[in-house]
Structures are given as structure tokens and as C-alpha cells.
């Protein structure tokens, strides 16, 4: 018979050994289905249970197909009689594990039926040459007569011919375990020998000679990259292939794809052991979970349960199988067309910097193939492994897969545009909108499919991406057709900035001339100090505070804080923030620098002896402390505020003015006096002075100084409107230095007087 232009033979185990001599070569791995690890126990149990199930059924239609076995043929000619072919040796390059299990099962069946040795003499045509001990064990096994009422392995290891060093042979040990497992599972099955060797044949496989079909040993390497028969993969594969009609063109085609095309697709992404079985199953789970979400079927992490619920029992089973096949086929097509899947992704995606006709994704993990941004590779390495392959990534790859399955109706240019929109929607939707709940993912996948195939955002769904971003994308779609090429490129460039994440309405599409300046100010490699300087420049231009529920927000050294400020949310003050930003960018575009903007503002306030709250936040970056740039503020006094580390007030928090005093004085004072002078706690405490022992509290009109049960107000001069007319930071620094100096000198004087006495 032929499959994909390859000639193969159909065999039962008996017909195979009757025709050929099978030699397991030294280069093969040891027999492994008898190992005792949890994974192999599961594999062994499922395999034996599957065989038992087929043999227990009546009827010729119940045939178990064990897939392709690949190997090399070698004709052995007589050395004494010219032209006489003595035998044909087969060296299996793939299928060793299955053949060995069948060998042991046939041995058990022959012994159970008490068959005469000539009936099972064909088993002599199976030789295990990995080690001499493996070969010798098989030779002795054929003549051994077991008591099948008790453990076979115990009987064998008690035999006089069983060598002690055979216990160190992994193949022998695995065979012993398998023999006991076979005895336990098949002891109840009558006529086992007849069912294994009689007609019609109940267990078959396909033998494909490599050299006769123009195949090389490279196929063997790729086949074994799936760890054939060492993991649950092959049992999954066998169970999946059982869904197809026996020997049908469809069944043979799918089996061949498993072993050739799909193995070729995954082989470049094999693991450190040159295996791809885990990668194969991860992608199977990914595609299957797509179908689960779409059809309201409960997700499972068990591949066999998914085979049953999706590809066997479902009313859409046939349709689902075709979808799974196409979902694998499309990557093989991509690999050929683009000369590698990496090249496909890199033609559409960039890692960070804006590139024409590409979409930035900012994925830095190795699994995304770094600059290649290969989401397929990330999926087969990360899906169900950890959270690094997020639900957002799930949807993004689903959008790409949807395109690959619909290239007949979606052209490449439209796909590039729609993929950018999808990225923007995902980037601007949080965990409240992108969730793993089945109903959420069902609707979100529907929205992705409609977008990729039709270029339309469906706002009728119960669960959707961020509504603000959806509205922006709809508006931008209309706007883009009116922009010239330069303006359109500026728009796309602004979308690609890692702080903007596709949301452009903040800056506004009427201000695209500021995009390059934005990149110059918010550089892609900005450090915390750079962000603090931007904050100081922004507050110098004007108040850009945002607020919600008694919390206020400013920029700090964290990129995520700025991302929040530059995106419209439920906070108030967003428009004010963007007005200040545009004014700042305009100043920079016209030649000013951030430093000059800050200096001009602070110098102006100092020259007029006017120090409003903004002055301190512009002059002293350490007024902002905490992860999120979050504050509480007294509504009646601009100088009374608290910097929070996080949203909860019972977490770490500090008074900004005291924080500046501590940062500015602790180091210099310690260096001058060689001891710790001041400190500040992390939970709103006053500033502690150790020399003298006292503390300082920040209040609206200055500070309150506490020492030895008394308090002293340090009042800062202010206008009638309550605006400082002197820098309260410099005012407090001077007073603290004087106090410390007096205290240290007094202590030194006391020591000197004591020494004189």
C-alpha cells in the first residue's frame, strides 16, 4: 500500500516475525515501558488496557493499529549456496518499544495456552542486541516454563541461569516488570493466543522501509525526538488515530503527518534531550482548549479526556478533528513558505523599536525567540507550564492562527492592520476584561475572530476588550484613511511606544507632530532617574495630578506608573495631565531641555520668594516615594500629604518633606560626625534625631519639634493665602544642623570636662 507516495506493509506481530528477523541494535535505547516512574506506569497501564480492550471485543472490525514502524532491511545471503537468500534482517529505527511489548505479550500468551514450541518458534526471530545480557535473557526466556499463578519476575530471577549482573541491565529489569503487568492484566482473557495470532488480525502496524522509500536516517532522529513509547505521547497518538476508520486514506494521512510533517514542524524547537513530545502535547492542549472555549466544553489537562470529549463524543467531533489537523498543518506550510516559523513572526512583529509594517510586542523571554517574537514557540514551551504565556498571549496567537486558517479570504496587508488593532485591545485590557473564565474567553475569541476575518469590532458581546480602546480603534480606523503617509507612520510609531501600548487619544491625533519629541523625552531605555526628571519637569509646567477615591497620583521612577498616567481610566484629571504633557513636549520641541524647564521654574519661584507645593515636587525628586506614585492629600492644606508605597494606607508610607530631609541629611551628618544622627521609619513616623534625642513632625505651616516632653513649632513664613515665602526644606535643614552641632559639641564638652576631672 502507499501513503503520501511511500510504500508500506501491513503486519501483525506474527506475520512480521514470520517474514523477517528483527534485531534491536546497540544504538537503540533500552526497553523502557517497564520502568517504574509515575509517567511510565501510566503509559504502561493505558497501553495494556487498550490492547486488552481490543482483544476483549468480538468482531473483525475491532482492530488496534499501532502506527508506523520504520526500519532498515538487510538481505542475508547463504555463504555456502550461491544465490540463496537465507533471511531478511530488520533493524528498527523506530518502534522498538512497541515491538518488545508485543514480543513479551506473545510469549505470555503462548505459555498461558501451553502451546508447543514450534507454534511460537517465530519468536526466535526477535533478538535484543543492545547488551549481551538482554540478548541472553531473551534466549533463556523462550525455553522457560513459568507458573502463571504467581509472579513471573520472581521465578525468573530465581533461575540458576539468571546472572546477578543482569539486575544492572535496564532492559532486563523493564522486561521483568512488563511480564508481571501482562500477567496481571491478561490472566482473565481466554483464547489470548488465538486472538493474537489467528484471523482476522486484531493488532496491526505499518512497516515502512526507509531506504526503499528514499528516506534517510534523519527521519529516525526526528521520530525519536518525540520519545517514541517512552512518554504518554504515543498512547495519545494511538488513541487519537483510533478515531478514524481503519486503513482509510484519512487515517493513514493523519498517522503520516504525526510522524513526518508535524514532527518536522516541531523538530527545530526540540528540548535539550532532542525530544518534542511535550511540545507537541502543549500545542494539542492549546488548540483543544480553543475548541473547549468555543463550544462550551469543560477544559481538561488530560489529553485522553480531551480526545473523548472533543474528538469522539462531541456532535462536532469530525469538524473538531479537521480543525486540529489544520491548526498543525498551517505551521508546516508556514515553515516551508517562510523557510522557518521564526521568519514568519519576524516579518510581522518586532520586539521593541518601531518598524514599518510591523507590530511591536515587547516580549523579552527566551521562549519568544527574542527578536523573532515567535508566539508559536512560546506556546509549545510555556502553555500550562507557567503564567508567562498569558491569556492575552493565548488570544494574540489565536488571532494569528485564525489568519493562517483563513488566508484565502484575508490578505496580508489587512492582517497586519488587524493584528495591530488586536495588540492594542489586548494591551489595554486588564484582568477584569481578559480572564480565563469560559464565558469571557468564548466572547473574547469571538471578538478576535470577527476582527481578523472581517476587520470589525463586535461591541454586542457580553464580555469584550476594554471599551475605551474599542472606541478608539473604531475612530482610528476612520481617521487612518484621511492621514498622509508621514502622519500615519507617526500615529503607528506612537502606538508602539512601550508606555502608550496603542492608546493615542491621550496625546491626541491632532498633535502627531509631538510624537518624535515624546520618544526623545520618554526614551525606550529610560532609567528611574530619567523618569523622576520627567516628573520634575512636568510639575514645573503645571499640576498634572490625577485622583480617585481620596488618592492622588504623580509620576515616579517606575515605567508602569507612567503607563497608568498616560492612559484614560476612571481617575479624574487625565485631561489636565495630557495638557501639561503637551505643553512640556512643545517646550522641548522648541529647544528647551528638561533641566532648563525645571531650573527656570524653581529659580522663578525662588526669586519671588514664593514656594507653593509644586515647587517642592519640582525641586526635590525624593518628595515622591513608593511603587505607584500614590498619595493622600489634605483638602485644606497643600503642604499636608502622605506618600504611599501601595494603595493600602496600612502599608508603608512616608511624609514627603520628612523623607527629603532624611535623604538629604542622613548621609552627610553621619559622615561628619561618624555616627548615625537621624532616621525615618516606614510607617508614617516622625523624623527621629538621635543627637539630641528628639523628633520632628511635618505640619501645614512648617514643623513641630519634640524634645523631652515639650514641643516647639518651627513656623515657616507664609503669605495670607498660606503660600510659603521661604523654602521649608532649607529652613528645616538649617535648624537641624544647628541642633545637632550644639548637641554633639555639648556631648564632647562633657567628655572633655570628665577627662580633666
Amino acid at each position: 500500500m502507499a501513503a503520501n507516495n511511500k510504500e508500506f506493509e501491513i503486519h501483525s506481530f506474527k506475520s512480521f516475525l514470520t517474514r523477517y528477523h528483527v534485531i534491536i541494535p546497540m544504538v537503540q535505547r533500552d526497553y523502557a515501558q517497564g520502568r517504574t516512574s509515575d509517567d511510565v506506569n501510566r503509559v504502561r497501564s493505558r497501553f495494556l488496557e487498550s490492547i486488552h480492550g481490543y482483544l476483549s471485543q468480538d468482531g473483525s472490525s475491532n482492530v488496534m493499529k499501532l502506527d508506523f514502524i520504520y526500519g532498515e532491511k538487510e538481505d542475508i545471503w547463504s555463504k555456502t549456496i550461491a544465490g540463496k537468500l537465507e533471511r531478511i534482517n530488520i533493524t528498527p529505527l523506530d518502534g522498538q518499544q512497541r515491538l518488545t511489548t508485543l514480543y513479551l505479550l506473545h510469549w505470555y500468551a503462548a505459555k498461558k495456552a501451553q502451546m508447543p514450541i514450534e507454534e511460537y518458534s517465530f519468536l526466535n526471530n526477535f533478538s535484543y542486541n543492545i547488551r549481551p545480557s538482554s540478548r541472553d535473557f531473551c534466549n533463556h526466556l523462550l525455553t522457560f516454563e513459568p507458573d502463571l499463578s504467581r509472579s513471573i519476575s520472581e521465578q525468573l530471577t530465581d533461575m540458576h541461569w539468571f546472572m546477578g549482573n543482569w539486575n544492572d541491565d535496564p532492559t532486563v529489569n523493564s522486561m521483568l516488570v512488563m511480564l508481571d503487568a501482562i500477567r496481571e492484566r491478561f490472566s482473565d482473557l481466554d483464547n489470548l493466543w488465538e486472538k493474537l495470532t489467528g484471523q482476522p488480525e486484531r493488532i496491526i502496524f505499518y512497516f515502512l522501509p526507509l531506504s526503499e522509500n528514499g528516506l534517510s536516517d534523519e527521519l529516525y532522529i526526528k521520530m525519536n525526538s518525540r520519545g517514541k513509547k517512552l512518554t504518554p505521547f504515543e498512547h495519545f497518538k494511538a488513541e487519537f488515530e483510533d478515531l478514524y476508520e481503519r486503513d482509510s486514506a484519512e487515517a493513514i494521512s493523519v498517522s503520516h503527518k504525526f510522524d513526518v510533517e508535524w514532527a518536522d514542524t516541531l523538530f527545530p524547537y526540540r528540548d535539550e534531550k532532542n525530544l518534542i513530545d511535550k511540545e507537541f502535547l502543549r500545542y494539542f492542549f492549546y488548540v483543544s482548549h480553543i475548541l473547549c472555549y468555543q463550544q462550551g466544553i469543560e477544559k481538561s489537562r488530560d489529553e485522553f479526556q480531551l480526545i473523548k470529549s472533543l474528538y469522539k463524543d462531541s456532535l462536532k467531533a469530525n469538524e473538531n478533528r479537521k480543525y486540529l489537523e489544520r491548526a498543525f498543518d498551517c505551521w508546516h506550510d508556514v515553515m516551508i513558505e517562510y523557510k522557518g516559523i521564526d521568519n514568519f513572526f519576524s516579518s510581522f512583529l518586532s520586539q521593541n523599536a518601531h518598524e514599518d509594517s510591523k507590530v511591536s510586542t515587547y516580549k523579552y523571554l527566551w521562549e519568544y525567540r527574542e527578536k523573532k517574537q515567535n508566539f508559536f514557540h512560546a506556546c509549545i514551551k510555556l502553555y500550562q507550564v507557567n503564567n508567562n504565556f498569558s491569556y492575552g498571549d493565548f488570544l494574540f496567537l489565536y488571532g494569528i492562527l485564525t489568519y493562517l486558517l483563513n488566508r484565502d479570504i484575508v490578505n496580508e496587508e489587512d492582517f497586519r492592520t488587524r493584528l495591530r488593532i488586536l495588540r492594542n485591545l489586548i494591551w489595554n485590557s486588564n484582568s477584569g476584561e481578559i480572564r480565563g473564565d469560559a464565558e469571557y474567553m468564548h466572547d473574547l475569541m469571538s471578538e478576535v475572530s470577527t476582527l481578523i476575518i472581517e476587520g470589525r469590532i463586535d461591541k454586542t458581546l457580553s464580555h469584550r476588550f476594554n471599551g475605551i480602546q474599542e472606541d478608539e480603534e473604531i475612530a482610528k480606523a476612520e481617521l487612518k484613511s484621511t492621514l498622509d503617509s508621514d502622519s500615519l507612520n507617526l500615529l503607528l510609531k506612537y502606538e508602539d511606544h512601550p508606555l502608550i501600548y496603542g492608546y493615542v487619544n491621550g496625546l491626541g491625533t491632532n498633535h502627531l507632530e509631538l510624537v518624535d519629541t515624546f520618544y526623545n523625552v520618554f526614551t525606550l531605555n529610560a532609567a528611574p532617574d530619567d523618569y523622576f526628571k520627567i516628573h520634575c519637569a512636568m510639575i514645573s509646567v503645571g499640576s498634572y495630578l490625577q485622583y480617585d477615591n481620596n488618592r492622588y497620583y504623580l509620576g515616579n521612577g517606575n515605567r508602569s506608573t507612567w503607563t497608568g498616567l498616560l492612559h484614560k481610566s476612571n481617575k479624574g484629571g487625565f485631561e489636565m495631565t495630557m495638557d501639561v504633557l503637551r505643553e512640556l513636549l512643545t517646550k522641548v520641541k522648541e529647544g528647551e531641555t528638561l533641566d532648563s524647564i525645571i531650573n527656570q521654574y524653581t529659580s522663578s519661584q525662588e526669586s519671588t520668594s514664593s514656594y507653593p507645593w509644586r515647587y517642592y515636587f519640582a525641586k526635590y525628586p525624593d518628595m515622591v516615594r513608593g511603587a505607584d506614585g500614590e498619595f493622600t492629600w489634605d483638602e485644606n492644606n497643600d503642604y499636608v500629604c502622605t506618600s504611599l508605597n501601595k494603595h493600602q494606607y496600612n502599608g508603608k508610607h512616608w511624609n514627603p518633606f520628612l523623607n527629603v530631609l532624611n535623604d538629604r541629611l542622613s548621609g552627610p551628618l553621619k559622615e561628619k560626625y561618624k555616627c548615625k544622627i537621624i532616621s525615618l521609619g516606614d510607617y508614617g513616623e516622625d523624623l527621629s534625631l538621635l543627637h539630641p534625642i528628639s523628633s520632628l513632625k511635618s505640619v501645614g505651616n512648617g514643623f513641630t519639634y519634640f524634645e523631652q516632653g515639650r514641643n516647639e513649632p518651627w513656623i515657616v513664613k507664609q503669605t495670607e493665602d498660606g503660600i510659603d515665602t521661604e523654602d521649608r526644606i532649607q529652613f528645616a535643614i538649617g535648624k537641624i544642623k544647628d541642633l545637632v552641632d550644639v548637641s554633639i559639641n555639648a556631648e564632647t564638652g562633657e567628655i572633655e570636662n570628665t577627662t580633666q576631672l
Side-chain angles (χ1 to χ4, degrees):
M1 295 185 68
N4 293 19
N5 299 320
K6 301 292 186 290
E7 294 294 330
F8 63 88
E9 305 168 7
I10 301 177
H11 283 288
S12 68
F13 187 71
K14 180 180 180 180
S15 70
F16 194 52
L17 291 192
T18 300
R19 183 171 182 178
Y20 301 115
H21 285 245
V22 177
I23 301 172
I24 306 299
M26 294 180 63
V27 296
Q28 283 280 19
R29 59 170 64 93
D30 289 292
Y31 178 54
Q33 285 193 343
R35 293 175 182 172
T36 55
S37 67
D38 290 341
D39 279 347
V40 177
N41 285 338
R42 179 172 176 247
V43 167
R44 181 171 57 252
S45 296
R46 289 196 66 88
F47 189 34
L48 295 182
E49 186 63 40
S50 182
I51 294 175
H52 186 279
Y54 274 96
L55 297 180
S56 299
Q57 300 173 37
D58 294 327
S60 59
S61 61
N62 299 315
V63 178
M64 184 177 190
K65 300 183 290 293
L66 294 182
D67 193 20
F68 281 90
I69 287 176
Y70 299 82
E72 293 285 7
K73 283 185 179 181
E74 181 186 7
D75 293 338
I76 306 299
W77 299 93
S78 172
K79 295 181 179 180
T80 58
I81 303 175
K84 180 182 179 181
L85 179 64
E86 290 191 341
R87 65 181 185 274
I88 303 174
N89 285 351
I90 298 293
T91 302
L93 296 180
D94 175 75
Q96 165 206 356
Q97 304 292 323
R98 285 165 286 165
L99 291 172
T100 305
T101 298
L102 290 176
Y103 168 78
L104 296 175
L105 179 61
H106 280 71
W107 175 88
Y108 171 80
K111 300 300 180 179
K112 184 173 186 289
Q114 298 181 338
M115 301 302 296
I117 192 168
E118 58 270 15
E119 290 294 322
Y120 60 90
S121 61
F122 63 87
L123 294 180
N124 284 302
N125 293 341
F126 183 84
S127 177
Y128 231 95
N129 286 354
I130 290 180
R131 291 182 179 86
S133 52
S134 304
R135 181 191 61 234
D136 293 344
F137 175 78
C138 291
N139 291 336
H140 284 288
L141 184 65
L142 289 182
T143 60
F144 172 65
E145 297 298 332
D147 176 359
L148 297 182
S149 67
R150 59 192 183 94
S151 168
I152 296 175
S153 65
E154 291 180 0
Q155 297 176 64
L156 286 168
T157 54
D158 282 343
M159 295 302 296
H160 67 277
W161 46 259
F162 190 93
M163 307 297 291
N165 61 359
W166 289 6
N167 290 312
D168 297 325
D169 186 330
T171 291
V172 172
N173 285 325
S174 287
M175 286 183 174
L176 292 173
V177 172
M178 180 58 82
L179 286 170
D180 283 342
I182 289 172
R183 169 184 166 272
E184 180 178 351
R185 188 65 197 92
F186 289 89
S187 61
D188 66 334
L189 195 59
D190 295 332
N191 302 320
L192 178 59
W193 178 256
E194 289 78 4
K195 291 181 177 181
L196 285 173
T197 61
Q199 295 294 327
E201 295 172 335
R202 304 295 296 276
I203 301 176
I204 64 170
F205 51 82
Y206 308 101
F207 173 58
L208 185 67
L210 294 183
S211 57
E212 292 182 13
N213 287 278
L215 300 173
S216 68
D217 288 355
E218 182 182 359
L219 175 64
Y220 159 69
I221 299 172
K222 292 180 178 179
M223 301 289 295
N224 277 301
S225 71
R226 284 208 323 266
K228 295 270 281 188
K229 286 301 173 188
L230 301 182
T231 70
F233 177 82
E234 280 302 314
H235 297 286
F236 149 77
K237 178 176 177 291
E239 195 153 329
F240 188 85
E241 289 175 349
D242 282 343
L243 301 172
Y244 298 87
E245 182 181 352
R246 179 193 177 189
D247 295 337
S248 66
E250 187 179 26
I252 295 172
S253 174
V254 168
S255 180
H256 191 271
K257 286 178 180 179
F258 268 106
D259 288 341
V260 183
E261 288 93 343
W262 297 345
D264 283 346
T265 302
L266 291 169
F267 190 67
Y269 307 123
R270 59 195 180 277
D271 64 17
E272 66 280 358
K273 297 180 180 179
N274 287 325
L275 302 177
I276 60 171
D277 55 330
K278 291 180 180 178
E279 286 75 10
F280 205 115
L281 285 172
R282 288 186 192 119
Y283 188 63
F284 167 79
F285 278 117
Y286 173 76
V287 176
S288 298
H289 289 169
I290 287 174
L291 296 171
C292 287
Y293 285 132
Q294 289 176 333
Q295 299 170 22
I297 296 174
E298 185 177 357
K299 276 179 26 177
S300 174
R301 296 174 69 96
D302 186 305
E303 61 270 29
F304 298 102
Q305 178 58 44
L306 288 173
I307 288 176
K308 184 177 188 299
S309 61
L310 279 173
Y311 307 106
K312 182 178 181 180
D313 295 345
S314 170
L315 295 176
K316 294 186 175 182
N318 186 58
E319 180 182 335
N320 291 344
R321 291 198 296 270
K322 291 184 182 300
Y323 182 86
L324 180 69
E325 289 181 45
R326 293 177 63 219
F328 273 97
D329 288 343
C330 69
W331 295 112
H332 185 261
D333 295 341
V334 163
M335 181 182 69
I336 295 174
E337 180 179 345
Y338 287 83
K339 295 181 172 58
I341 296 175
D342 283 354
N343 295 333
F344 166 78
F345 280 96
S346 63
S347 70
F348 290 96
L349 306 177
S350 64
Q351 187 176 47
N352 45 28
H354 169 74
E355 296 183 41
D356 290 344
S357 301
K358 294 187 181 183
V359 178
S360 299
T361 57
Y362 293 94
K363 294 292 185 179
Y364 295 101
L365 291 176
W366 167 84
E367 286 82 3
Y368 292 88
R369 304 285 282 186
E370 298 177 343
K371 294 185 178 180
K372 301 295 185 181
Q373 300 296 278
N374 187 333
F375 277 71
F376 174 73
H377 180 255
C379 175
I380 64 176
K381 293 296 183 182
L382 296 175
Y383 188 62
Q384 296 193 138
V385 175
N386 56 41
N387 294 328
N388 287 328
F389 192 82
S390 65
Y391 288 114
D393 294 335
F394 184 106
L395 293 168
F396 195 70
L397 181 59
Y398 173 66
I400 296 170
L401 178 61
T402 299
Y403 163 68
L404 292 175
L405 299 181
N406 293 276
R407 295 173 75 182
D408 56 331
I409 58 176
V410 181
N411 63 54
E412 183 177 301
E413 182 179 354
D414 285 342
F415 172 61
R416 290 183 187 275
T417 299
R418 296 167 187 178
L419 188 63
R420 171 175 289 274
I421 295 172
L422 176 59
R423 180 211 58 183
N424 294 347
L425 292 173
I426 292 173
W427 265 0
N428 288 281
S429 300
N430 57 36
S431 58
E433 292 146 341
I434 297 180
R435 295 167 50 177
D437 299 13
E439 63 271 18
Y440 277 80
M441 291 298 287
H442 173 274
D443 286 358
L444 291 173
M445 287 171 54
S446 177
E447 187 170 353
V448 171
S449 180
T450 300
L451 171 63
I452 296 298
I453 296 175
E454 302 177 25
R456 178 174 59 87
I457 294 176
D458 185 358
K459 297 192 65 175
T460 66
L461 299 165
S462 299
H463 308 288
R464 310 193 319 269
F465 291 109
N466 180 272
I468 294 174
Q469 192 64 35
E470 286 179 333
D471 291 339
E472 178 179 295
E473 295 303 328
I474 293 172
K476 277 191 299 191
E478 298 178 1
L479 171 69
K480 288 176 181 178
S481 62
T482 67
L483 297 177
D484 58 47
S485 59
D486 290 340
S487 297
L488 179 59
N489 189 59
L490 285 172
L491 175 66
L492 302 182
K493 181 177 181 180
Y494 187 58
E495 283 187 347
D496 283 347
H497 194 284
L499 294 181
I500 299 306
Y501 281 172
Y503 179 72
V504 303
N505 275 342
L507 183 65
T509 55
N510 294 327
H511 300 280
L512 296 176
E513 75 281 357
L514 297 176
V515 169
D516 287 335
T517 307
F518 183 89
Y519 266 81
N520 291 336
V521 172
F522 292 92
T523 58
L524 295 180
N525 57 349
D529 286 347
D530 299 320
Y531 286 125
F532 271 116
K533 182 175 288 188
I534 295 170
H535 149 72
C536 292
M538 287 272 287
I539 206 69
S540 296
V541 171
S543 172
Y544 69 96
L545 278 170
Q546 293 184 22
Y547 52 87
D548 71 341
N549 298 325
N550 300 318
R551 294 290 189 270
Y552 297 82
Y553 303 86
L554 289 171
N556 61 5
N558 293 336
R559 189 182 76 172
S560 59
T561 302
W562 287 99
T563 299
L565 291 171
L566 296 172
H567 286 70
K568 188 174 180 60
S569 65
N570 58 357
K571 299 187 186 76
F574 174 74
E575 289 76 14
M576 181 172 62
T577 300
M578 302 314 298
D579 285 341
V580 172
L581 174 63
R582 284 189 289 269
E583 186 175 348
L584 172 70
L585 295 177
T586 300
K587 287 178 177 290
V588 174
K589 183 178 176 65
E590 292 174 352
E592 297 187 54
T593 65
L594 298 183
D595 287 328
S596 69
I597 293 170
I598 297 167
N599 292 335
Q600 182 180 0
Y601 170 70
T602 56
S603 298
S604 174
Q605 300 305 130
E606 290 164 357
S607 67
T608 59
S609 298
S610 178
Y611 302 89
W613 70 271
R614 281 176 45 220
Y615 165 82
Y616 295 103
F617 280 88
K619 181 75 173 182
Y620 306 106
D622 17 6
M623 288 286 290
V624 179
R625 185 176 179 183
D628 298 330
E630 190 168 350
F631 294 81
T632 62
W633 229 291
D634 190 317
E635 294 182 359
N636 299 313
N637 195 305
D638 291 341
Y639 300 102
V640 179
C641 56
T642 300
S643 180
L644 307 178
N645 187 51
K646 288 289 186 180
H647 190 72
Q648 298 83 358
Y649 195 82
N650 59 356
K652 291 183 178 182
H653 58 282
W654 309 266
N655 177 274
F657 295 99
L658 298 182
N659 189 62
V660 173
L661 292 174
N662 183 62
D663 287 354
R664 298 301 170 98
L665 285 174
S666 59
L669 289 177
K670 184 175 183 179
E671 182 178 355
K672 179 178 180 180
Y673 297 109
K674 309 306 179 187
C675 63
K676 188 174 183 179
I677 302 297
I678 63 172
S679 65
L680 182 67
D682 289 328
Y683 296 91
E685 297 93 338
D686 294 343
L687 184 69
S688 296
L689 280 73
L690 305 180
H691 300 280
I693 298 176
S694 55
S695 63
L696 190 67
K697 182 182 185 66
S698 177
V699 294
N701 62 351
F703 303 91
T704 302
Y705 177 68
F706 299 92
E707 182 184 21
Q708 296 181 355
R710 69 179 182 86
N711 61 74
E712 174 187 338
W714 290 1
I715 297 176
V716 174
K717 296 176 184 178
Q718 293 184 324
T719 66
E720 292 181 358
D721 296 331
I723 304 298
D724 289 357
T725 58
E726 59 180 327
D727 184 334
R728 64 173 59 202
I729 295 294
Q730 296 304 317
F731 166 77
I733 286 176
K735 292 185 74 68
I736 291 172
K737 284 183 174 180
D738 289 343
L739 281 170
V740 173
D741 189 55
V742 170
S743 175
I744 295 293
N745 287 337
E747 290 179 5
T748 303
E750 291 175 3
I751 293 172
E752 289 177 351
N753 291 335
T754 302
T755 302
Q756 290 174 359
L757 292 173

